[in-house]
Coordinates of all heavy atoms in Angstrom, one line a residue:
M1 N 69.5 123.4 -170.8 CA 69.4 122.7 -172.1 C 69.4 121.2 -171.8 O 70.1 120.7 -170.9 CB 70.7 123.0 -172.9 CG 70.7 122.1 -174.2 SD 72.2 122.2 -175.2 CE 72.5 123.9 -175.3
L2 N 68.5 120.5 -172.5 CA 68.4 119.1 -172.4 C 69.0 118.5 -173.7 O 68.8 119.0 -174.8 CB 66.9 118.6 -172.3 CG 66.2 119.1 -171.1 CD1 64.7 118.7 -171.2 CD2 66.8 118.6 -169.8
R3 N 69.7 117.4 -173.5 CA 70.4 116.8 -174.7 C 70.2 115.3 -174.5 O 70.4 114.7 -173.5 CB 71.8 117.1 -174.6 CG 72.7 116.6 -175.7 CD 74.1 117.2 -175.6 NE 75.0 116.5 -176.4 CZ 75.4 117.0 -177.6 NH1 74.9 118.1 -178.0 NH2 76.2 116.3 -178.4
K4 N 69.8 114.6 -175.6 CA 69.6 113.2 -175.6 C 70.2 112.6 -176.8 O 70.0 113.0 -178.0 CB 68.1 112.9 -175.5 CG 67.8 111.4 -175.3 CD 66.3 111.1 -175.1 CE 66.0 111.4 -173.7 NZ 64.6 111.0 -173.3
S5 N 70.9 111.5 -176.6 CA 71.6 110.8 -177.7 C 70.7 109.5 -178.0 O 70.5 108.7 -177.1 CB 73.0 110.4 -177.3 OG 73.6 109.6 -178.3
L6 N 70.3 109.4 -179.3 CA 69.6 108.2 -179.7 C 70.5 107.4 -180.6 O 70.9 107.8 -181.7 CB 68.3 108.7 -180.5 CG 67.4 109.7 -179.9 CD1 66.3 110.1 -180.8 CD2 66.9 109.2 -178.6
R7 N 70.7 106.2 -180.1 CA 71.7 105.3 -180.9 C 71.0 104.5 -182.0 O 71.5 104.3 -183.0 CB 72.4 104.4 -180.0 CG 73.3 105.2 -179.0 CD 73.9 104.3 -178.0 NE 74.4 105.1 -176.9 CZ 75.7 105.4 -176.7 NH1 76.6 104.9 -177.5 NH2 76.0 106.1 -175.7
H8 N 69.8 104.1 -181.7 CA 69.0 103.3 -182.7 C 67.6 104.0 -182.8 O 66.8 103.9 -181.9 CB 68.8 101.9 -182.2 CG 70.1 101.2 -181.9 ND1 70.9 100.7 -183.0 CD2 70.7 100.9 -180.8 CE1 72.0 100.2 -182.4 NE2 71.9 100.3 -181.1
Y9 N 67.5 104.7 -183.9 CA 66.3 105.5 -184.1 C 65.6 105.2 -185.4 O 66.2 104.6 -186.3 CB 66.6 107.0 -184.0 CG 67.7 107.4 -185.0 CD1 67.3 107.8 -186.3 CD2 69.0 107.3 -184.7 CE1 68.3 108.1 -187.2 CE2 70.0 107.7 -185.6 CZ 69.6 108.1 -186.8 OH 70.6 108.4 -187.7
K10 N 64.4 105.6 -185.5 CA 63.6 105.4 -186.7 C 64.4 106.1 -187.9 O 64.8 107.2 -187.7 CB 62.2 106.0 -186.6 CG 61.1 105.2 -187.0 CD 59.8 106.0 -186.9 CE 58.8 105.2 -186.2 NZ 57.6 105.9 -186.0
K11 N 64.4 105.5 -189.0 CA 65.0 106.1 -190.2 C 64.4 107.4 -190.5 O 63.1 107.6 -190.3 CB 64.9 105.2 -191.4 CG 65.7 105.7 -192.6 CD 65.6 104.7 -193.7 CE 66.3 105.3 -195.0 NZ 66.0 104.5 -196.1
L12 N 65.1 108.4 -190.9 CA 64.6 109.8 -191.1 C 64.0 109.8 -192.5 O 64.5 110.5 -193.4 CB 65.6 110.8 -190.9 CG 66.1 111.0 -189.5 CD1 67.2 112.0 -189.4 CD2 65.0 111.4 -188.6
D13 N 62.9 109.1 -192.7 CA 62.1 109.2 -193.9 C 61.2 110.4 -193.9 O 60.9 111.0 -192.8 CB 61.3 107.9 -194.1 CG 62.1 106.7 -194.5 OD1 63.1 106.9 -195.2 OD2 61.8 105.6 -194.0
P14 N 60.6 110.9 -195.0 CA 59.8 112.1 -195.0 C 58.6 112.1 -194.0 O 58.4 113.1 -193.4 CB 59.3 112.2 -196.5 CG 60.4 111.5 -197.2 CD 60.9 110.4 -196.4
Q15 N 57.9 111.0 -193.9 CA 56.8 110.9 -193.0 C 57.1 111.1 -191.6 O 56.5 112.0 -190.9 CB 56.0 109.6 -193.2 CG 54.6 109.7 -192.5 CD 53.8 108.5 -192.8 OE1 54.2 107.6 -193.5 NE2 52.5 108.5 -192.4
P16 N 58.1 110.3 -191.0 CA 58.5 110.6 -189.6 C 59.1 112.0 -189.4 O 58.9 112.6 -188.4 CB 59.5 109.5 -189.3 CG 59.3 108.5 -190.3 CD 58.7 109.1 -191.5
V17 N 59.8 112.5 -190.4 CA 60.4 113.8 -190.3 C 59.3 114.9 -190.2 O 59.3 115.8 -189.4 CB 61.3 114.1 -191.5 CG1 61.7 115.6 -191.5 CG2 62.6 113.3 -191.3
A18 N 58.3 114.7 -191.1 CA 57.1 115.7 -191.1 C 56.4 115.7 -189.7 O 56.1 116.8 -189.2 CB 56.2 115.3 -192.2
Q19 N 56.2 114.5 -189.2 CA 55.6 114.4 -187.9 C 56.4 115.1 -186.8 O 56.0 115.8 -185.9 CB 55.3 113.0 -187.5 CG 54.5 112.8 -186.2 CD 53.2 113.5 -186.2 OE1 52.4 113.4 -187.2 NE2 52.8 114.1 -185.1
F20 N 57.8 114.8 -186.8 CA 58.7 115.4 -185.9 C 58.7 116.9 -185.9 O 58.5 117.6 -184.9 CB 60.1 114.9 -186.1 CG 61.1 115.3 -185.1 CD1 61.4 114.6 -184.0 CD2 61.8 116.6 -185.3 CE1 62.3 115.1 -183.0 CE2 62.7 117.0 -184.4 CZ 62.9 116.3 -183.2
V21 N 58.8 117.5 -187.1 CA 58.8 118.9 -187.3 C 57.5 119.5 -186.9 O 57.5 120.6 -186.2 CB 59.2 119.3 -188.8 CG1 59.0 120.8 -189.0 CG2 60.6 118.8 -189.1
K22 N 56.4 118.9 -187.3 CA 55.1 119.4 -186.9 C 54.9 119.5 -185.4 O 54.5 120.5 -184.8 CB 54.0 118.6 -187.5 CG 52.6 119.0 -187.1 CD 51.5 118.1 -187.8 CE 50.1 118.5 -187.4 NZ 49.1 117.6 -187.9
T23 N 55.4 118.4 -184.7 CA 55.3 118.3 -183.3 C 56.2 119.3 -182.6 O 55.9 120.0 -181.6 CB 55.6 116.9 -182.8 OG1 54.6 116.0 -183.4 CG2 55.4 116.8 -181.3
A24 N 57.5 119.4 -183.1 CA 58.5 120.4 -182.6 C 58.0 121.8 -182.6 O 58.2 122.6 -181.7 CB 59.8 120.3 -183.3
N25 N 57.2 122.1 -183.6 CA 56.7 123.5 -183.8 C 55.6 123.8 -182.8 O 55.2 125.0 -182.6 CB 56.3 123.8 -185.2 CG 57.4 124.2 -186.0 OD1 58.0 125.2 -185.9 ND2 57.8 123.3 -187.0
Q26 N 55.1 122.8 -182.1 CA 54.0 123.0 -181.1 C 54.6 123.5 -179.7 O 53.9 123.9 -178.8 CB 53.2 121.7 -180.9 CG 52.4 121.4 -182.1 CD 51.7 120.0 -182.0 OE1 51.8 119.3 -180.9 NE2 51.0 119.6 -183.0
F27 N 55.9 123.4 -179.6 CA 56.6 123.8 -178.4 C 57.3 125.1 -178.6 O 57.7 125.5 -179.6 CB 57.6 122.7 -178.0 CG 57.0 121.4 -177.6 CD1 57.0 120.4 -178.5 CD2 56.5 121.2 -176.3 CE1 56.4 119.2 -178.2 CE2 55.9 120.0 -176.0 CZ 55.8 119.0 -176.9
R28 N 57.4 125.9 -177.5 CA 58.1 127.1 -177.5 C 59.6 127.0 -177.5 O 60.4 127.9 -177.9 CB 57.7 128.0 -176.3 CG 56.3 128.4 -176.3 CD 56.0 129.3 -175.2 NE 54.6 129.7 -175.3 CZ 54.1 130.7 -174.6 NH1 54.8 131.4 -173.8 NH2 52.8 131.0 -174.8
S29 N 60.1 125.9 -177.0 CA 61.6 125.6 -176.9 C 62.2 125.6 -178.2 O 61.6 125.2 -179.2 CB 61.8 124.3 -176.1 OG 61.4 124.4 -174.8
E30 N 63.5 125.9 -178.3 CA 64.3 125.7 -179.4 C 64.6 124.2 -179.5 O 64.9 123.6 -178.5 CB 65.6 126.5 -179.3 CG 65.4 128.0 -179.3 CD 64.8 128.5 -180.6 OE1 65.2 128.1 -181.7 OE2 63.9 129.4 -180.5
V31 N 64.6 123.7 -180.7 CA 64.8 122.3 -180.9 C 65.9 122.1 -182.0 O 65.8 122.8 -183.1 CB 63.6 121.5 -181.4 CG1 63.8 120.0 -181.7 CG2 62.5 121.6 -180.3
S32 N 66.9 121.3 -181.8 CA 67.9 121.0 -182.8 C 68.2 119.6 -182.9 O 68.0 118.8 -181.9 CB 69.2 121.9 -182.6 OG 69.8 121.5 -181.4
L33 N 68.6 119.1 -184.0 CA 69.1 117.7 -184.2 C 70.5 117.8 -184.7 O 70.9 118.6 -185.5 CB 68.2 117.0 -185.3 CG 66.7 116.7 -184.8 CD1 66.0 116.2 -186.0 CD2 66.7 115.8 -183.7
E34 N 71.3 116.8 -184.3 CA 72.7 116.7 -184.8 C 73.0 115.3 -185.1 O 72.6 114.4 -184.4 CB 73.6 117.2 -183.7 CG 75.0 117.2 -184.1 CD 75.9 117.8 -183.0 OE1 75.4 118.5 -182.1 OE2 77.2 117.6 -183.1
Q35 N 73.7 115.1 -186.2 CA 74.2 113.8 -186.7 C 75.5 114.0 -187.3 O 75.7 114.8 -188.2 CB 73.2 113.1 -187.6 CG 73.5 111.7 -188.0 CD 72.5 111.1 -189.0 OE1 72.0 111.8 -189.8 NE2 72.3 109.9 -188.8
S36 N 76.5 113.2 -186.9 CA 77.8 113.2 -187.4 C 78.4 114.7 -187.5 O 79.0 115.1 -188.5 CB 77.9 112.6 -188.8 OG 77.4 111.3 -188.8
G37 N 78.2 115.4 -186.4 CA 78.7 116.8 -186.4 C 77.9 117.8 -187.1 O 78.3 119.0 -187.1
H38 N 76.8 117.4 -187.8 CA 76.0 118.4 -188.6 C 74.7 118.7 -187.8 O 73.9 117.8 -187.6 CB 75.7 117.7 -189.9 CG 74.9 118.7 -190.9 ND1 75.6 119.7 -191.5 CD2 73.7 118.7 -191.3 CE1 74.7 120.4 -192.2 NE2 73.5 119.8 -192.1
K39 N 74.6 119.9 -187.3 CA 73.5 120.4 -186.5 C 72.5 121.2 -187.3 O 72.9 122.1 -188.0 CB 74.1 121.2 -185.3 CG 73.1 121.5 -184.3 CD 73.8 122.2 -183.1 CE 72.9 122.4 -181.9 NZ 73.6 123.0 -180.8
V40 N 71.2 120.9 -187.1 CA 70.2 121.6 -187.9 C 69.0 122.0 -186.9 O 68.8 121.4 -185.9 CB 69.6 120.7 -189.0 CG1 70.7 120.4 -190.0 CG2 68.9 119.5 -188.5
N41 N 68.2 122.9 -187.4 CA 67.0 123.4 -186.7 C 66.0 122.3 -186.8 O 65.5 121.9 -187.9 CB 66.5 124.7 -187.4 CG 65.3 125.2 -186.8 OD1 64.6 124.6 -185.9 ND2 64.9 126.4 -187.2
G42 N 65.5 121.8 -185.6 CA 64.5 120.7 -185.6 C 63.1 121.1 -185.9 O 62.2 120.3 -186.0
K43 N 62.9 122.4 -186.2 CA 61.6 122.9 -186.5 C 61.5 123.2 -188.0 O 60.5 123.8 -188.5 CB 61.3 124.2 -185.7 CG 61.1 123.9 -184.2 CD 60.7 125.1 -183.4 CE 60.4 124.7 -182.0 NZ 59.8 125.9 -181.2
S44 N 62.5 122.9 -188.8 CA 62.6 123.2 -190.2 C 62.6 121.9 -191.0 O 63.5 121.1 -190.9 CB 63.8 124.0 -190.5 OG 64.0 124.0 -191.9
M45 N 61.5 121.6 -191.8 CA 61.4 120.4 -192.5 C 62.7 120.2 -193.5 O 63.2 119.2 -193.5 CB 60.1 120.4 -193.4 CG 59.9 119.2 -194.2 SD 59.5 117.8 -193.2 CE 59.0 116.7 -194.4
M46 N 63.0 121.3 -194.2 CA 64.2 121.2 -195.1 C 65.5 120.9 -194.3 O 66.3 120.1 -194.8 CB 64.3 122.5 -195.9 CG 63.2 122.8 -196.8 SD 63.0 121.5 -198.1 CE 64.4 121.8 -199.1
S47 N 65.7 121.5 -193.2 CA 66.9 121.3 -192.4 C 67.0 119.8 -191.9 O 68.0 119.2 -192.0 CB 67.0 122.2 -191.2 OG 67.1 123.6 -191.7
V48 N 65.8 119.3 -191.4 CA 65.8 118.0 -190.9 C 66.0 117.0 -192.0 O 66.7 115.9 -191.8 CB 64.6 117.7 -190.0 CG1 64.6 116.3 -189.5 CG2 64.5 118.6 -188.8
M49 N 65.4 117.2 -193.1 CA 65.6 116.3 -194.3 C 67.1 116.2 -194.7 O 67.5 115.2 -195.3 CB 64.7 116.7 -195.5 CG 63.2 116.4 -195.3 SD 62.9 114.6 -194.9 CE 63.5 113.9 -196.4
E50 N 67.8 117.3 -194.5 CA 69.3 117.2 -194.8 C 69.9 116.0 -194.0 O 70.8 115.3 -194.6 CB 70.0 118.5 -194.3 CG 69.8 119.7 -195.1 CD 70.6 120.9 -194.6 OE1 71.7 120.7 -194.0 OE2 70.0 122.0 -194.7
L51 N 69.4 115.7 -192.8 CA 70.0 114.6 -192.0 C 69.6 113.3 -192.6 O 70.3 112.3 -192.4 CB 69.6 114.7 -190.6 CG 70.1 115.9 -189.8 CD1 69.6 115.8 -188.4 CD2 71.6 116.0 -189.8
A52 N 68.5 113.2 -193.3 CA 68.0 112.0 -193.9 C 69.0 111.4 -194.9 O 69.1 110.2 -195.1 CB 66.6 112.1 -194.5
N53 N 69.8 112.3 -195.5 CA 70.7 111.9 -196.5 C 72.1 111.6 -196.0 O 73.0 111.1 -196.7 CB 70.8 112.9 -197.6 CG 69.6 113.1 -198.4 OD1 68.9 112.2 -198.6 ND2 69.2 114.4 -198.7
R54 N 72.3 111.8 -194.7 CA 73.6 111.6 -194.0 C 73.6 110.2 -193.4 O 72.6 109.6 -193.0 CB 73.8 112.6 -192.9 CG 73.8 114.0 -193.5 CD 74.1 115.0 -192.4 NE 75.4 115.1 -192.0 CZ 76.4 115.8 -192.7 NH1 76.1 116.4 -193.8 NH2 77.6 115.9 -192.2
R55 N 74.8 109.6 -193.4 CA 75.0 108.3 -192.7 C 75.7 108.6 -191.4 O 76.6 109.4 -191.4 CB 75.9 107.4 -193.6 CG 75.3 107.2 -195.0 CD 74.6 105.9 -195.0 NE 74.2 105.6 -196.4 CZ 72.9 105.3 -196.7 NH1 72.0 105.2 -195.7 NH2 72.6 105.0 -197.9
G56 N 75.3 107.9 -190.4 CA 75.9 108.1 -189.1 C 75.2 107.3 -188.0 O 74.1 106.8 -188.2
G57 N 75.9 107.1 -186.9 CA 75.5 106.2 -185.9 C 74.4 106.7 -185.0 O 73.4 106.1 -184.8
E58 N 74.6 107.9 -184.4 CA 73.7 108.4 -183.5 C 73.1 109.7 -183.9 O 73.7 110.5 -184.6 CB 74.3 108.5 -182.1 CG 75.3 109.5 -181.9 CD 75.9 109.5 -180.5 OE1 75.3 109.2 -179.5 OE2 77.1 110.0 -180.4
L59 N 71.9 110.0 -183.3 CA 71.2 111.2 -183.6 C 71.1 111.9 -182.2 O 70.7 111.3 -181.2 CB 69.8 111.0 -184.2 CG 69.0 112.1 -184.5 CD1 69.6 112.9 -185.7 CD2 67.6 111.7 -184.8
I60 N 71.4 113.2 -182.2 CA 71.3 113.9 -180.9 C 70.2 115.0 -181.0 O 70.2 115.7 -182.0 CB 72.7 114.6 -180.6 CG1 73.8 113.5 -180.4 CG2 72.6 115.5 -179.3 CD1 75.2 114.1 -180.3
I61 N 69.4 115.0 -180.0 CA 68.3 115.9 -179.9 C 68.7 116.9 -178.8 O 69.0 116.5 -177.7 CB 66.9 115.3 -179.6 CG1 66.5 114.3 -180.6 CG2 65.9 116.4 -179.4 CD1 65.3 113.5 -180.2
E62 N 68.6 118.2 -179.1 CA 68.8 119.2 -178.1 C 67.6 120.1 -178.0 O 67.0 120.5 -179.0 CB 70.0 120.1 -178.4 CG 71.3 119.5 -178.2 CD 72.5 120.4 -178.5 OE1 72.3 121.6 -178.9 OE2 73.6 120.0 -178.3
V63 N 67.1 120.4 -176.8 CA 66.0 121.2 -176.6 C 66.3 122.2 -175.5 O 66.8 121.8 -174.4 CB 64.7 120.3 -176.2 CG1 63.5 121.2 -176.0 CG2 64.5 119.2 -177.2
E64 N 66.0 123.5 -175.7 CA 66.2 124.5 -174.7 C 65.0 125.5 -174.7 O 64.6 126.0 -175.7 CB 67.5 125.3 -175.0 CG 67.9 126.3 -174.0 CD 69.2 126.9 -174.2 OE1 69.8 126.7 -175.3 OE2 69.7 127.6 -173.3
G65 N 64.5 125.7 -173.5 CA 63.4 126.6 -173.3 C 62.5 126.2 -172.1 O 62.7 125.2 -171.5
E66 N 61.4 127.0 -172.0 CA 60.6 126.8 -170.8 C 59.8 125.4 -170.8 O 59.5 124.9 -169.7 CB 59.6 127.9 -170.7 CG 58.6 128.0 -171.9 CD 57.7 129.2 -171.8 OE1 58.3 130.3 -171.9 OE2 56.5 129.0 -171.7
D67 N 59.5 124.9 -172.0 CA 58.8 123.6 -172.0 C 59.7 122.5 -172.5 O 59.3 121.4 -173.0 CB 57.5 123.7 -172.9 CG 57.8 124.2 -174.3 OD1 59.0 124.4 -174.6 OD2 56.8 124.3 -175.0
A68 N 61.0 122.6 -172.3 CA 62.0 121.6 -172.8 C 61.8 120.2 -172.2 O 61.9 119.3 -173.0 CB 63.4 122.1 -172.4
P69 N 61.5 120.0 -171.0 CA 61.3 118.6 -170.5 C 60.2 117.9 -171.2 O 60.4 116.7 -171.7 CB 61.0 118.8 -169.0 CG 61.6 120.0 -168.6 CD 61.5 120.9 -169.8
R70 N 59.1 118.5 -171.4 CA 57.9 117.9 -172.1 C 58.3 117.7 -173.6 O 58.0 116.7 -174.2 CB 56.7 118.7 -171.9 CG 55.5 118.2 -172.6 CD 55.0 116.9 -172.0 NE 53.8 116.4 -172.7 CZ 53.6 115.1 -172.9 NH1 54.4 114.2 -172.5 NH2 52.5 114.8 -173.6
A71 N 58.9 118.7 -174.2 CA 59.3 118.7 -175.6 C 60.2 117.5 -175.8 O 60.0 116.7 -176.8 CB 59.9 120.0 -176.1
M72 N 61.2 117.3 -175.0 CA 62.2 116.2 -175.1 C 61.5 114.9 -175.0 O 61.7 114.0 -175.8 CB 63.3 116.3 -174.1 CG 64.3 115.2 -174.2 SD 65.2 115.2 -175.7 CE 66.4 116.5 -175.4
E73 N 60.6 114.8 -174.1 CA 59.9 113.5 -173.9 C 59.1 113.1 -175.1 O 59.2 112.0 -175.6 CB 58.9 113.6 -172.7 CG 58.1 112.4 -172.4 CD 57.1 112.6 -171.3 OE1 57.1 113.6 -170.6 OE2 56.2 111.7 -171.1
V74 N 58.3 114.1 -175.6 CA 57.5 113.8 -176.8 C 58.3 113.6 -178.0 O 58.0 112.6 -178.8 CB 56.5 115.0 -177.0 CG1 55.7 114.9 -178.3 CG2 55.5 115.1 -175.8
L75 N 59.2 114.4 -178.3 CA 60.0 114.3 -179.5 C 60.9 113.1 -179.6 O 61.0 112.4 -180.6 CB 60.9 115.6 -179.7 CG 60.1 116.9 -180.0 CD1 61.0 118.1 -179.9 CD2 59.3 116.8 -181.3
S76 N 61.5 112.7 -178.5 CA 62.4 111.5 -178.5 C 61.5 110.3 -178.7 O 61.9 109.3 -179.3 CB 63.2 111.4 -177.2 OG 62.5 111.4 -176.1
N77 N 60.3 110.3 -178.1 CA 59.4 109.1 -178.3 C 58.9 109.0 -179.8 O 58.6 107.9 -180.2 CB 58.2 109.2 -177.4 CG 58.5 108.9 -176.0 OD1 59.4 108.1 -175.7 ND2 57.8 109.4 -175.0
L78 N 58.9 110.1 -180.5 CA 58.5 110.0 -181.9 C 59.5 109.2 -182.7 O 59.1 108.6 -183.7 CB 58.4 111.4 -182.5 CG 57.1 112.2 -182.2 CD1 57.2 113.6 -182.8 CD2 55.9 111.5 -182.7
L79 N 60.7 109.2 -182.3 CA 61.8 108.5 -183.1 C 61.9 107.1 -182.6 O 62.7 106.3 -183.2 CB 63.1 109.3 -183.0 CG 63.0 110.7 -183.6 CD1 64.4 111.4 -183.4 CD2 62.7 110.6 -185.1
K80 N 61.2 106.7 -181.5 CA 61.2 105.4 -181.0 C 62.5 104.7 -181.0 O 62.7 103.7 -181.7 CB 60.2 104.5 -181.7 CG 58.8 105.1 -181.6 CD 57.8 104.1 -182.2 CE 56.4 104.7 -182.3 NZ 55.8 105.2 -181.1
P81 N 63.5 105.2 -180.2 CA 64.8 104.5 -180.2 C 64.7 103.2 -179.4 O 63.9 103.0 -178.5 CB 65.7 105.5 -179.4 CG 64.7 106.2 -178.5 CD 63.4 106.3 -179.3
D82 N 65.6 102.3 -179.8 CA 65.8 101.0 -179.1 C 66.6 101.2 -177.8 O 66.4 100.5 -176.8 CB 66.4 99.9 -180.0 CG 65.6 99.6 -181.1 OD1 64.3 99.6 -181.0 OD2 66.1 99.3 -182.2
S83 N 67.6 102.1 -177.9 CA 68.4 102.3 -176.7 C 68.7 103.8 -176.7 O 69.0 104.4 -177.7 CB 69.7 101.6 -176.7 OG 70.5 102.0 -177.8
V84 N 68.5 104.4 -175.5 CA 68.6 105.9 -175.4 C 69.5 106.2 -174.2 O 69.4 105.5 -173.1 CB 67.2 106.5 -175.1 CG1 67.4 108.0 -174.9 CG2 66.3 106.2 -176.2
S85 N 70.4 107.2 -174.3 CA 71.1 107.7 -173.2 C 71.0 109.2 -173.2 O 71.0 109.8 -174.3 CB 72.6 107.3 -173.3 OG 73.2 107.9 -174.4
G86 N 70.8 109.8 -172.1 CA 70.5 111.2 -172.1 C 71.2 111.9 -170.9 O 71.6 111.3 -170.0
S87 N 71.3 113.2 -171.0 CA 71.9 114.0 -169.9 C 71.3 115.4 -170.0 O 70.8 115.8 -171.0 CB 73.4 114.1 -170.1 OG 73.7 114.8 -171.2
E88 N 71.3 116.0 -168.8 CA 70.8 117.4 -168.7 C 72.1 118.3 -168.5 O 72.9 117.9 -167.7 CB 69.8 117.6 -167.6 CG 68.6 116.8 -167.8 CD 67.6 117.0 -166.7 OE1 67.6 118.1 -166.1 OE2 66.7 116.2 -166.5
E89 N 72.1 119.4 -169.3 CA 73.3 120.3 -169.1 C 72.8 121.6 -168.7 O 71.8 122.1 -169.0 CB 74.0 120.4 -170.4 CG 74.6 119.1 -170.9 CD 75.3 119.2 -172.2 OE1 75.3 120.2 -172.8 OE2 75.8 118.2 -172.7

């Protein structure tokens, strides 16, 4: 599993969320997003939009599967963080 914490990320407005979900669905890996302890399916528009209404400091992306490294690279770049810290588990 790959996990990346984004401290300063693009606001989760509908347009960036739609692009994120569309892109996430192009990968075989499971994708999830977590903010303030609330974890959602990163391939579901409705689930990711739930996070847009939450206030919190960091957003965590988790990706697990055969194409996880590429998926993490592409998806984290879509949110264009100013500072990123990541780890592989």
Side-chain angles (χ1 to χ4, degrees):
M1 176 189 311
L2 299 176
R3 181 177 169 96
K4 187 172 277 189
S5 175
L6 307 177
R7 295 174 198 255
H8 303 285
Y9 55 89
K10 229 184 229 182
K11 186 177 176 189
L12 293 177
D13 288 324
Q15 189 173 9
V17 167
Q19 183 62 42
F20 183 92
V21 171
K22 180 181 177 182
T23 304
N25 278 293
Q26 295 174 359
F27 294 98
R28 291 183 180 198
S29 293
E30 296 295 320
V31 177
S32 63
L33 293 173
E34 183 178 343
Q35 184 181 35
S36 302
H38 186 72
K39 189 173 184 176
V40 300
N41 179 352
K43 293 185 175 185
S44 166
M45 181 71 170
M46 293 299 287
S47 294
V48 177
M49 284 305 297
E50 286 179 35
L51 294 182
N53 295 323
R54 299 179 80 77
R55 303 265 185 227
E58 70 181 332
L59 182 70
I60 298 169
I61 303 174
E62 288 185 355
V63 183
E64 185 171 11
E66 64 185 62
D67 55 1
R70 180 69 180 142
M72 180 62 82
E73 177 185 353
V74 171
L75 294 171
S76 61
N77 283 335
L78 281 178
L79 298 177
K80 299 188 188 304
D82 295 327
S83 65
V84 177
S85 64
S87 66
E88 295 184 24
E89 296 177 1

